[in-house]
Amino acid sequence: MWMIIGIFFLMLLIGVPVAFGVGISSMLYLALNGKDLVILTQRIFAGGDSFTLMAIPLFIFAGEIMNACGVTKRIVGFANELVGFIPGGLAHVNILASMLFAGVSGSTSADVASIGGMLIGSMDEAGFDRDYATAVTAASATIGSIIPPSILMVLYSSITGISVGKLFMAGVIPGILVGVSQMIYAFIKAKKNPAKYDGDVKVKFDFKRMVKSFINALPALVMPLIIIGGILSGVFTATEAGAIAGAYGLIIGIFVYKEFTFEGAIKTVLSAARTSGMTMLIVASTTAFGYCLAIEKFPEQVSALLTGISTNPNVLMLLMIIAMCIIGMFMDTTSAAIIMVPIFYPIAAAAGIDGIHFGMVMVLTFILGGITPPVGVTLYIATAVAKIKFTNLLKEMWPFILLFIAVMFAVAYCPAICLTIPNMLA
């Protein structure tokens, strides 16, 4: 058991991509234990052969289309008219745009790449500290995987069988809390040091202009309502919602905004294919890794270890959060979710913790891993977009990380935050 885990972490340390690291670790485990290596290919195939998981490439494709057809700049324009006049100006625009774009992309990576590509340079030109502008972008991008739709929630649903519609609705209030807490921090920073954190470009509030920008962005803002409404009403499944979102994005790009060209379509398909390919390869290979852990009864050993410390649900929740945070610091969110959900979900269920509540806590914990070193995929994307040093970004990120942790623990120990809306709809 410890051999396969040790080999896997060694692969991570020497820079082997996660998908190949877990695949090689699984292959070595099966070979050294005299197992038929055909099992490896069977488990990898089975890992990707899921109707629910088809929603992931479809949502990725929909997000790419919406980004290519000018949705991002319209969302940013609307956010600018709505909050650009508040002290902290473009920082608030950045955060609110991420909250709105979250309902389109379902991905933290897509959020930081698209919003960051537009606003980091704008904030820099407006007089904001560039490191701070990048930190705001990376921190607010976390909302992309919280506010529905969320690719992480689709993964959790596919593993546990819990309603993806209820999981989506559970993310609404936590996502808003993350965004609001960041905006409060940006406001305080702007008041304390306007030279670095407020910028010298101010937008005056104009109701008519705000309404016009809202109408311009409305086709994009309607998309989350179509997705969530269709899933909750039973009109279509999460996978079908992904296909409908992609079709809706095409209609907007071609007939409404008229910015979706043939060249843009080719780039969108290639970009979505690359992202989907990487994601699904990780999903498939980590399924084989999880199979090897199951052979060694690793989930049962972890369960025995934790319940041996305490059977109190609150203490178990804390222990699982700590364990998931440590794992999340060394693995990307997708890999961490696929490996850890089968281990911790049964423990939570046995302790009487609601499956939707625990799912939301897991999602938040794994997202936290994306903005904490040493792996911190979201941070690396942000530094690549902004062209700044990783260490410079970390100096400005810590307050945002602490705010995120505060929201995460609030959700963990106040279930009503994430369960109120799903219970109302039930």
Side-chain angles (χ1 to χ4, degrees), residues 5-18 20-22 24-25 28 330 374-375:
I5 295 173
I7 293 172
F8 170 63
F9 277 104
L10 177 63
M11 294 284 180
L12 288 182
L13 289 173
I14 63 176
V16 176
V18 173
F20 295 107
V22 293
I24 293 170
S25 303
L28 289 174
F330 294 95
V375 176

Side-chain angles (χ1 to χ4, degrees), residues 135-328:
V136 171
T137 303
S140 63
T142 58
I143 305 169
S145 292
I146 306 172
I147 290 179
S150 166
I151 290 172
L152 270 179
M153 292 180 193
V154 172
L155 276 175
Y156 182 84
S157 172
S158 70
I159 296 169
T160 63
I162 290 174
S163 166
V164 71
K166 290 183 179 180
L167 284 168
F168 279 177
M169 297 317 297
V172 173
I173 296 178
I176 292 172
L177 284 177
V178 171
V180 170
S181 65
Q182 292 174 357
M183 292 179 79
I184 292 171
Y185 174 71
F187 179 85
I188 294 171
K189 292 281 281 185
K191 282 291 188 181
K192 285 187 174 181
N193 191 347
K196 287 182 68 176
Y197 304 116
D198 195 15
D200 51 19
V201 178
K202 284 293 177 185
V203 176
K204 290 185 178 181
F205 180 75
D206 186 308
F207 182 76
K208 289 184 179 179
R209 202 167 59 218
M210 188 271 289
V211 171
K212 185 177 179 181
S213 66
F214 170 73
I215 294 171
N216 202 23
L218 189 59
L221 300 176
V222 166
M223 180 175 160
L225 299 179
I226 295 173
I227 294 170
I228 304 303
I231 293 173
L232 293 177
S233 63
V235 174
F236 41 75
T237 65
T239 302
E240 291 163 346
I244 289 169
Y248 180 75
L250 284 172
I251 292 170
I252 289 178
I254 296 171
F255 300 107
V256 180
Y257 293 150
K258 299 179 180 179
E259 294 185 15
F260 199 56
T261 61
F262 179 75
E263 292 79 6
I266 298 297
K267 289 181 181 178
T268 298
V269 171
L270 291 175
S271 178
R274 280 194 297 268
T275 306
S276 300
M278 289 187 292
T279 303
M280 295 307 294
L281 184 59
I282 291 171
V283 170
S285 58
T286 46
T287 302
F289 188 76
Y291 172 78
C292 295
L293 293 179
I295 292 175
E296 290 290 329
K297 300 188 183 301
F298 185 69
E300 289 84 348
Q301 293 183 44
V302 173
S303 178
L305 175 64
L306 294 181
T307 53
I309 297 173
S310 175
T311 55
N312 184 299
N314 292 327
V315 176
L316 283 174
M317 178 71 85
L318 177 61
L319 293 173
M320 288 189 287
I321 287 174
I322 293 171
M324 289 187 291
C325 281
I326 293 171
I327 294 296

